[in-house]
Amino acid sequence: MIEKESVKLHELTFDLFIDKKEIKKRVQEMAEQINQDYAGRQVVVLGVLDGVFMVLSDLLKKLDISVSLEMVKLKSYQGENSTGKVHKLLGLNSNLKDLDVLVVEDIIDTGTTLGFLLDLLKTHQPKSIKIATLLLKKEIYHGRYPLDYIGFSIPNRFVVGYGMDYDGLGRQLPHIYAVQGQLQKA
Ligand code: 5GP
Ligand code: MG
Protein backbone atom coordinates (compact mmCIF):
# COMPACT_ATOMS: atom_id res chain seq x y z
CA MET A 1 0.00 0.00 0.00
CA ILE A 2 2.65 2.51 0.99
CA GLU A 3 4.56 2.82 -2.33
CA LYS A 4 1.58 3.27 -4.69
CA GLU A 5 0.99 5.94 -7.35
CA SER A 6 -2.47 6.48 -5.89
CA VAL A 7 -4.19 5.52 -2.65
CA LYS A 8 -7.80 5.32 -1.50
CA LEU A 9 -8.64 6.56 1.99
CA HIS A 10 -12.27 6.34 3.08
CA GLU A 11 -14.22 7.39 -0.07
CA LEU A 12 -11.49 9.58 -1.64
CA THR A 13 -8.65 8.76 -4.03
CA PHE A 14 -5.33 10.56 -3.75
CA ASP A 15 -2.56 10.77 -6.37
CA LEU A 16 1.17 10.91 -5.77
CA PHE A 17 2.11 14.57 -5.42
CA ILE A 18 5.54 14.93 -3.77
CA ASP A 19 7.86 11.94 -3.84
CA LYS A 20 9.76 10.95 -0.68
CA LYS A 21 13.12 11.68 -2.39
CA GLU A 22 12.05 15.26 -3.09
CA ILE A 23 10.82 15.60 0.50
CA LYS A 24 14.12 14.29 1.85
CA LYS A 25 16.16 16.70 -0.27
CA ARG A 26 14.07 19.70 0.74
CA VAL A 27 14.10 18.80 4.45
CA GLN A 28 17.91 18.56 4.23
CA GLU A 29 18.06 22.04 2.67
CA MET A 30 15.77 23.48 5.36
CA ALA A 31 17.95 21.92 8.07
CA GLU A 32 21.11 23.40 6.54
CA GLN A 33 19.53 26.85 6.56
CA ILE A 34 18.40 26.45 10.18
CA ASN A 35 21.87 25.24 11.21
CA GLN A 36 23.39 28.35 9.64
CA ASP A 37 20.87 30.78 11.11
CA TYR A 38 21.08 29.40 14.65
CA ALA A 39 24.81 28.57 14.63
CA GLY A 40 26.23 28.68 18.16
CA ARG A 41 22.79 29.15 19.75
CA GLN A 42 20.34 26.94 21.52
CA VAL A 43 16.85 26.59 20.12
CA VAL A 44 13.56 25.24 21.41
CA VAL A 45 11.94 23.36 18.55
CA LEU A 46 8.17 23.47 19.02
CA GLY A 47 6.32 20.84 17.01
CA VAL A 48 2.60 21.07 16.29
CA LEU A 49 1.05 17.62 16.56
CA ASP A 50 -0.28 15.40 15.11
CA GLY A 51 0.69 15.95 11.48
CA VAL A 52 4.19 17.23 12.14
CA PHE A 53 5.66 14.04 13.61
CA MET A 54 7.28 12.75 10.41
CA VAL A 55 8.87 15.95 9.14
CA LEU A 56 9.88 16.85 12.69
CA SER A 57 11.68 13.57 13.13
CA ASP A 58 13.51 13.88 9.81
CA LEU A 59 14.38 17.53 10.37
CA LEU A 60 15.67 17.03 13.94
CA LYS A 61 18.10 14.34 12.81
CA LYS A 62 19.74 16.89 10.50
CA LEU A 63 20.14 19.67 13.08
CA ASP A 64 23.63 20.05 14.52
CA ILE A 65 22.78 22.98 16.79
CA SER A 66 21.77 22.59 20.42
CA VAL A 67 18.07 21.68 20.46
CA SER A 68 15.40 21.00 23.04
CA LEU A 69 11.99 19.74 21.98
CA GLU A 70 8.48 20.82 22.90
CA MET A 71 5.18 19.63 21.50
CA VAL A 72 1.72 21.10 21.38
CA LYS A 73 -1.32 19.38 20.00
CA LEU A 74 -3.77 21.55 18.06
CA LYS A 75 -6.68 20.63 15.85
CA SER A 76 -8.58 22.77 13.37
CA TYR A 77 -9.52 20.33 10.63
CA GLN A 78 -12.54 18.09 10.27
CA GLY A 79 -12.23 15.75 7.30
CA GLU A 80 -10.78 17.82 4.45
CA ASN A 81 -11.94 21.25 5.61
CA SER A 82 -10.77 23.80 8.13
CA THR A 83 -13.39 24.45 10.82
CA GLY A 84 -12.02 27.96 11.42
CA LYS A 85 -11.73 27.15 15.13
CA VAL A 86 -8.63 25.80 16.82
CA HIS A 87 -8.79 23.38 19.73
CA LYS A 88 -5.89 22.99 22.10
CA LEU A 89 -5.61 19.34 23.00
CA LEU A 90 -2.22 19.42 24.67
CA GLY A 91 -0.57 22.63 25.83
CA LEU A 92 2.84 24.02 26.58
CA ASN A 93 4.42 22.93 29.83
CA SER A 94 7.87 24.47 29.81
CA ASN A 95 8.90 28.00 30.53
CA LEU A 96 9.97 29.57 27.25
CA LYS A 97 10.85 32.99 28.62
CA ASP A 98 13.88 34.52 26.87
CA LEU A 99 14.43 31.44 24.72
CA ASP A 100 14.70 31.17 20.93
CA VAL A 101 11.71 29.21 19.67
CA LEU A 102 11.40 27.59 16.25
CA VAL A 103 7.83 26.50 15.47
CA VAL A 104 7.67 23.52 13.12
CA GLU A 105 4.46 22.78 11.19
CA ASP A 106 3.56 20.15 8.62
CA ILE A 107 1.29 22.45 6.63
CA ILE A 108 -0.01 25.99 6.85
CA ASP A 109 -3.31 26.54 5.13
CA THR A 110 -5.39 29.57 6.23
CA GLY A 111 -2.95 30.40 9.05
CA THR A 112 -5.63 30.10 11.75
CA THR A 113 -3.76 27.41 13.67
CA LEU A 114 -0.51 29.35 13.47
CA GLY A 115 -2.16 32.54 14.75
CA PHE A 116 -3.63 30.67 17.69
CA LEU A 117 -0.25 29.16 18.53
CA LEU A 118 1.61 32.46 18.23
CA ASP A 119 -0.85 34.15 20.60
CA LEU A 120 -0.27 31.34 23.08
CA LEU A 121 3.50 31.50 22.61
CA LYS A 122 3.74 35.24 23.10
CA THR A 123 2.33 34.93 26.61
CA HIS A 124 5.53 33.00 27.42
CA GLN A 125 7.71 35.95 26.31
CA PRO A 126 10.30 34.04 24.30
CA LYS A 127 13.34 35.92 23.01
CA SER A 128 12.53 35.12 19.39
CA ILE A 129 10.03 33.14 17.34
CA LYS A 130 10.68 31.73 13.88
CA ILE A 131 8.40 29.53 11.82
CA ALA A 132 9.18 26.53 9.65
CA THR A 133 6.61 24.64 7.62
CA LEU A 134 7.02 21.79 5.19
CA LEU A 135 4.04 22.88 3.07
CA LEU A 136 2.33 26.21 2.51
CA LYS A 137 -0.94 26.78 0.64
CA LYS A 138 0.10 30.21 -0.46
CA GLU A 139 -3.15 31.15 -2.24
CA ILE A 140 -5.14 30.91 0.97
CA TYR A 141 -2.64 31.78 3.67
CA HIS A 142 -3.73 35.08 5.24
CA GLY A 143 -0.09 36.14 5.32
CA ARG A 144 -0.20 37.85 8.69
CA TYR A 145 3.07 36.34 9.94
CA PRO A 146 6.29 36.08 7.98
CA LEU A 147 7.31 32.45 7.44
CA ASP A 148 11.02 31.81 7.83
CA TYR A 149 11.45 28.34 6.31
CA ILE A 150 9.07 26.94 3.70
CA GLY A 151 9.57 23.48 2.22
CA PHE A 152 7.12 23.62 -0.69
CA SER A 153 4.48 26.14 -1.74
CA ILE A 154 1.53 24.13 -3.02
CA PRO A 155 -1.82 24.95 -4.65
CA ASN A 156 -5.05 24.75 -2.67
CA ARG A 157 -5.48 20.98 -2.72
CA PHE A 158 -6.08 18.65 0.17
CA VAL A 159 -3.00 16.49 0.79
CA VAL A 160 -2.22 13.43 2.89
CA GLY A 161 0.79 11.30 3.77
CA TYR A 162 4.14 11.95 5.44
CA GLY A 163 2.34 12.54 8.74
CA MET A 164 -0.83 14.16 7.39
CA ASP A 165 -4.19 12.41 7.51
CA TYR A 166 -7.64 12.30 6.02
CA ASP A 167 -10.00 11.58 8.91
CA GLY A 168 -7.35 9.58 10.71
CA LEU A 169 -5.96 7.64 7.77
CA GLY A 170 -2.84 8.02 5.63
CA ARG A 171 -0.34 9.37 8.13
CA GLN A 172 2.13 6.52 7.58
CA LEU A 173 2.52 7.08 3.81
CA PRO A 174 6.15 7.99 2.95
CA HIS A 175 5.14 10.23 0.01
CA ILE A 176 2.69 13.14 -0.08
CA TYR A 177 -0.53 12.58 -2.05
CA ALA A 178 -3.13 15.12 -3.25
CA VAL A 179 -6.85 14.48 -3.55
CA GLN A 180 -7.98 13.63 -7.07
CA GLY A 181 -10.00 16.10 -9.06
CA GLN A 182 -11.77 18.76 -7.08
CA LEU A 183 -10.17 21.71 -5.43
CA GLN A 184 -10.47 21.84 -1.70
CA LYS A 185 -13.46 23.81 -0.47
CA ALA A 186 -12.47 26.95 1.42
P1 5GP B 1 -4.86 26.31 9.07
O1 5GP B 1 -5.23 26.55 10.50
O2 5GP B 1 -3.60 27.03 8.62
O3 5GP B 1 -6.01 26.58 8.13
O4 5GP B 1 -4.60 24.76 8.91
C1 5GP B 1 -3.49 24.18 9.46
C2 5GP B 1 -3.73 22.77 9.94
O5 5GP B 1 -4.82 22.18 9.24
C3 5GP B 1 -2.53 21.91 9.63
O6 5GP B 1 -1.63 21.89 10.70
C4 5GP B 1 -3.16 20.57 9.38
O7 5GP B 1 -3.37 19.91 10.60
C5 5GP B 1 -4.50 20.89 8.76
N1 5GP B 1 -4.44 20.94 7.28
C6 5GP B 1 -4.48 22.04 6.49
N2 5GP B 1 -4.44 21.71 5.19
C7 5GP B 1 -4.36 20.35 5.16
C8 5GP B 1 -4.26 19.40 4.09
O8 5GP B 1 -4.25 19.68 2.89
N3 5GP B 1 -4.19 18.10 4.47
C9 5GP B 1 -4.20 17.69 5.78
N4 5GP B 1 -4.13 16.38 6.01
N5 5GP B 1 -4.29 18.56 6.81
C10 5GP B 1 -4.36 19.86 6.49
MG1 MG C 1 -0.41 20.62 11.75
Side-chain angles (χ1 to χ4, degrees):
M1 168 200 191
I2 60 174
E3 295 290 338
K4 282 187 179 163
E5 283 289 309
S6 70
V7 292
K8 192 154 189 275
L9 302 172
H10 300 295
E11 78 289 6
L12 294 181
T13 305
F14 296 82
D15 293 326
L16 186 60
F17 184 52
I18 309 175
D19 180 85
K20 67 181 179 187
K21 288 201 190 94
E22 278 179 76
I23 300 171
K24 190 176 176 196
K25 181 166 168 274
R26 194 69 192 111
V27 171
Q28 173 72 40
E29 288 167 357
M30 290 171 79
E32 282 166 15
Q33 192 64 54
I34 292 166
N35 285 332
Q36 267 183 32
D37 294 351
Y38 287 93
R41 286 153 69 194
Q42 183 168 335
V43 64
V44 180
V45 170
L46 177 61
V48 186
L49 292 170
D50 292 327
V52 81
F53 76 91
M54 243 190 229
V55 64
L56 187 64
S57 162
D58 287 346
L59 185 73
L60 282 175
K61 285 178 269 184
K62 308 283 182 197
L63 295 184
D64 58 17
I65 48 176
S66 179
V67 163
S68 67
L69 181 64
E70 283 291 324
M71 298 285 204
V72 286
K73 182 162 171 157
L74 303 177
K75 191 175 169 68
S76 68
Y77 254 60
Q78 199 83 50
E80 49 171 334
N81 293 299
S82 176
T83 60
K85 288 192 200 122
V86 184
H87 302 279
K88 185 170 72 178
L89 304 175
L90 197 74
L92 274 171
N93 298 316
S94 300
N95 185 4
L96 302 176
K97 192 165 163 43
D98 299 328
L99 299 178
D100 292 310
V101 177
L102 174 64
V103 173
V104 181
E105 266 280 22
D106 49 349
I107 181 163
I108 294 174
D109 175 304
T110 59
T112 308
T113 306
L114 181 65
F116 180 92
L117 178 62
L118 292 177
D119 286 346
L120 183 76
L121 250 183
K122 282 171 192 161
T123 67
H124 287 251
Q125 299 177 284
K127 184 160 110 196
S128 71
I129 303 173
K130 283 193 175 193
I131 301 158
T133 186
L134 179 68
L135 304 178
L136 170 68
K137 294 189 192 166
K138 61 176 186 304
E139 295 154 26
I140 48 176
Y141 176 50
H142 60 44
R144 254 170 248 151
Y145 316 101
L147 306 176
D148 301 280
Y149 309 96
I150 300 167
F152 301 91
S153 282
I154 64 167
N156 185 16
R157 291 179 71 189
F158 186 74
V159 296
V160 293
Y162 196 63
M164 292 169 282
D165 73 312
Y166 172 47
D167 264 348
L169 299 183
R171 293 196 193 275
Q172 86 278 27
L173 297 163
H175 313 288
I176 294 171
Y177 293 80
V179 72
Q180 246 179 31
Q182 93 269 26
L183 288 178
Q184 181 194 347
K185 282 170 257 149

PDB file of all heavy atoms in Angstrom, residues 48-52 74 76 104-108 113 164 171, ligand 2:
ATOM      1  N   VAL A  48       4.055  21.008  16.174  1.00  0.00           N
ATOM      2  CA  VAL A  48       2.600  21.066  16.287  1.00  0.00           C
ATOM      3  C   VAL A  48       2.014  19.724  15.841  1.00  0.00           C
ATOM      4  O   VAL A  48       1.963  19.415  14.646  1.00  0.00           O
ATOM      5  CB  VAL A  48       2.025  22.231  15.458  1.00  0.00           C
ATOM      6  CG1 VAL A  48       0.518  22.352  15.704  1.00  0.00           C
ATOM      7  CG2 VAL A  48       2.716  23.543  15.801  1.00  0.00           C
ATOM      8  N   LEU A  49       1.605  18.943  16.839  1.00  0.00           N
ATOM      9  CA  LEU A  49       1.052  17.615  16.565  1.00  0.00           C
ATOM     10  C   LEU A  49      -0.371  17.707  16.019  1.00  0.00           C
ATOM     11  O   LEU A  49      -1.019  18.708  16.221  1.00  0.00           O
ATOM     12  CB  LEU A  49       1.036  16.801  17.872  1.00  0.00           C
ATOM     13  CG  LEU A  49       2.416  16.416  18.411  1.00  0.00           C
ATOM     14  CD1 LEU A  49       2.294  15.837  19.819  1.00  0.00           C
ATOM     15  CD2 LEU A  49       3.084  15.417  17.478  1.00  0.00           C
ATOM     16  N   ASP A  50      -0.899  16.696  15.356  1.00  0.00           N
ATOM     17  CA  ASP A  50      -0.282  15.400  15.105  1.00  0.00           C
ATOM     18  C   ASP A  50       0.567  15.381  13.835  1.00  0.00           C
ATOM     19  O   ASP A  50       1.548  14.650  13.763  1.00  0.00           O
ATOM     20  CB  ASP A  50      -1.369  14.315  14.938  1.00  0.00           C
ATOM     21  CG  ASP A  50      -2.113  14.049  16.231  1.00  0.00           C
ATOM     22  OD1 ASP A  50      -1.500  14.146  17.291  1.00  0.00           O
ATOM     23  OD2 ASP A  50      -3.311  13.755  16.165  1.00  0.00           O
ATOM     24  N   GLY A  51       0.141  16.128  12.827  1.00  0.00           N
ATOM     25  CA  GLY A  51       0.686  15.948  11.477  1.00  0.00           C
ATOM     26  C   GLY A  51       2.182  16.141  11.345  1.00  0.00           C
ATOM     27  O   GLY A  51       2.786  15.636  10.403  1.00  0.00           O
ATOM     28  N   VAL A  52       2.797  16.835  12.302  1.00  0.00           N
ATOM     29  CA  VAL A  52       4.194  17.226  12.135  1.00  0.00           C
ATOM     30  C   VAL A  52       5.186  16.096  12.443  1.00  0.00           C
ATOM     31  O   VAL A  52       6.365  16.206  12.134  1.00  0.00           O
ATOM     32  CB  VAL A  52       4.505  18.455  13.025  1.00  0.00           C
ATOM     33  CG1 VAL A  52       4.783  18.039  14.467  1.00  0.00           C
ATOM     34  CG2 VAL A  52       5.665  19.249  12.478  1.00  0.00           C
ATOM     35  N   LEU A  74      -2.681  20.661  18.466  1.00  0.00           N
ATOM     36  CA  LEU A  74      -3.770  21.549  18.063  1.00  0.00           C
ATOM     37  C   LEU A  74      -4.570  20.872  16.964  1.00  0.00           C
ATOM     38  O   LEU A  74      -4.050  20.082  16.184  1.00  0.00           O
ATOM     39  CB  LEU A  74      -3.213  22.878  17.529  1.00  0.00           C
ATOM     40  CG  LEU A  74      -2.305  23.683  18.453  1.00  0.00           C
ATOM     41  CD1 LEU A  74      -1.790  24.925  17.737  1.00  0.00           C
ATOM     42  CD2 LEU A  74      -3.037  24.089  19.724  1.00  0.00           C
ATOM     43  N   SER A  76      -7.638  21.825  13.973  1.00  0.00           N
ATOM     44  CA  SER A  76      -8.577  22.769  13.367  1.00  0.00           C
ATOM     45  C   SER A  76      -9.358  22.135  12.223  1.00  0.00           C
ATOM     46  O   SER A  76     -10.295  22.712  11.710  1.00  0.00           O
ATOM     47  CB  SER A  76      -7.835  23.997  12.825  1.00  0.00           C
ATOM     48  OG  SER A  76      -7.032  23.621  11.729  1.00  0.00           O
ATOM     49  N   VAL A 104       7.640  24.376  14.305  1.00  0.00           N
ATOM     50  CA  VAL A 104       7.666  23.518  13.118  1.00  0.00           C
ATOM     51  C   VAL A 104       6.268  22.969  12.852  1.00  0.00           C
ATOM     52  O   VAL A 104       5.647  22.374  13.728  1.00  0.00           O
ATOM     53  CB  VAL A 104       8.680  22.359  13.261  1.00  0.00           C
ATOM     54  CG1 VAL A 104       8.702  21.509  11.996  1.00  0.00           C
ATOM     55  CG2 VAL A 104      10.081  22.900  13.548  1.00  0.00           C
ATOM     56  N   GLU A 105       5.792  23.206  11.630  1.00  0.00           N
ATOM     57  CA  GLU A 105       4.457  22.778  11.189  1.00  0.00           C
ATOM     58  C   GLU A 105       4.586  21.859   9.986  1.00  0.00           C
ATOM     59  O   GLU A 105       5.519  21.990   9.197  1.00  0.00           O
ATOM     60  CB  GLU A 105       3.655  24.016  10.748  1.00  0.00           C
ATOM     61  CG  GLU A 105       2.783  24.626  11.831  1.00  0.00           C
ATOM     62  CD  GLU A 105       1.468  23.872  12.017  1.00  0.00           C
ATOM     63  OE1 GLU A 105       1.372  22.679  11.643  1.00  0.00           O
ATOM     64  OE2 GLU A 105       0.538  24.485  12.544  1.00  0.00           O
ATOM     65  N   ASP A 106       3.626  20.959   9.834  1.00  0.00           N
ATOM     66  CA  ASP A 106       3.558  20.149   8.619  1.00  0.00           C
ATOM     67  C   ASP A 106       3.016  20.980   7.456  1.00  0.00           C
ATOM     68  O   ASP A 106       3.572  20.982   6.371  1.00  0.00           O
ATOM     69  CB  ASP A 106       2.698  18.895   8.833  1.00  0.00           C
ATOM     70  CG  ASP A 106       1.349  19.204   9.471  1.00  0.00           C
ATOM     71  OD1 ASP A 106       1.144  20.347   9.947  1.00  0.00           O
ATOM     72  OD2 ASP A 106       0.495  18.306   9.500  1.00  0.00           O
ATOM     73  N   ILE A 107       1.926  21.694   7.722  1.00  0.00           N
ATOM     74  CA  ILE A 107       1.288  22.445   6.634  1.00  0.00           C
ATOM     75  C   ILE A 107       0.581  23.673   7.197  1.00  0.00           C
ATOM     76  O   ILE A 107      -0.049  23.598   8.253  1.00  0.00           O
ATOM     77  CB  ILE A 107       0.314  21.540   5.839  1.00  0.00           C
ATOM     78  CG1 ILE A 107      -0.340  22.288   4.686  1.00  0.00           C
ATOM     79  CG2 ILE A 107      -0.734  20.886   6.719  1.00  0.00           C
ATOM     80  CD1 ILE A 107      -0.969  21.369   3.642  1.00  0.00           C
ATOM     81  N   ILE A 108       0.745  24.782   6.505  1.00  0.00           N
ATOM     82  CA  ILE A 108      -0.007  25.990   6.855  1.00  0.00           C
ATOM     83  C   ILE A 108      -0.974  26.265   5.723  1.00  0.00           C
ATOM     84  O   ILE A 108      -0.589  26.330   4.544  1.00  0.00           O
ATOM     85  CB  ILE A 108       0.922  27.192   7.105  1.00  0.00           C
ATOM     86  CG1 ILE A 108       1.784  26.925   8.354  1.00  0.00           C
ATOM     87  CG2 ILE A 108       0.109  28.485   7.287  1.00  0.00           C
ATOM     88  CD1 ILE A 108       2.841  27.968   8.627  1.00  0.00           C
ATOM     89  N   THR A 113      -4.445  28.190  12.638  1.00  0.00           N
ATOM     90  CA  THR A 113      -3.759  27.410  13.672  1.00  0.00           C
ATOM     91  C   THR A 113      -2.503  28.136  14.132  1.00  0.00           C
ATOM     92  O   THR A 113      -2.224  28.243  15.329  1.00  0.00           O
ATOM     93  CB  THR A 113      -3.373  26.017  13.127  1.00  0.00           C
ATOM     94  OG1 THR A 113      -4.541  25.402  12.605  1.00  0.00           O
ATOM     95  CG2 THR A 113      -2.768  25.143  14.200  1.00  0.00           C
ATOM     96  N   MET A 164       0.479  13.491   7.498  1.00  0.00           N
ATOM     97  CA  MET A 164      -0.828  14.163   7.385  1.00  0.00           C
ATOM     98  C   MET A 164      -1.938  13.156   7.057  1.00  0.00           C
ATOM     99  O   MET A 164      -1.721  12.213   6.297  1.00  0.00           O
ATOM    100  CB  MET A 164      -0.750  15.259   6.318  1.00  0.00           C
ATOM    101  CG  MET A 164       0.150  16.414   6.749  1.00  0.00           C
ATOM    102  SD  MET A 164       0.517  17.558   5.423  1.00  0.00           S
ATOM    103  CE  MET A 164       1.773  16.656   4.522  1.00  0.00           C
ATOM    104  N   ARG A 171      -1.508   8.708   7.528  1.00  0.00           N
ATOM    105  CA  ARG A 171      -0.336   9.372   8.130  1.00  0.00           C
ATOM    106  C   ARG A 171       0.963   8.628   7.859  1.00  0.00           C
ATOM    107  O   ARG A 171       2.036   9.219   7.837  1.00  0.00           O
ATOM    108  CB  ARG A 171      -0.514   9.509   9.648  1.00  0.00           C
ATOM    109  CG  ARG A 171      -1.617  10.464  10.065  1.00  0.00           C
ATOM    110  CD  ARG A 171      -1.468  10.830  11.529  1.00  0.00           C
ATOM    111  NE  ARG A 171      -2.629  11.494  12.084  1.00  0.00           N
ATOM    112  CZ  ARG A 171      -2.865  12.803  12.001  1.00  0.00           C
ATOM    113  NH1 ARG A 171      -2.030  13.582  11.363  1.00  0.00           N
ATOM    114  NH2 ARG A 171      -3.947  13.322  12.550  1.00  0.00           N
TER     115      ARG A 171
HETATM  116 MG    MG B   2      -0.414  20.616  11.747  1.00  0.00          MG
END
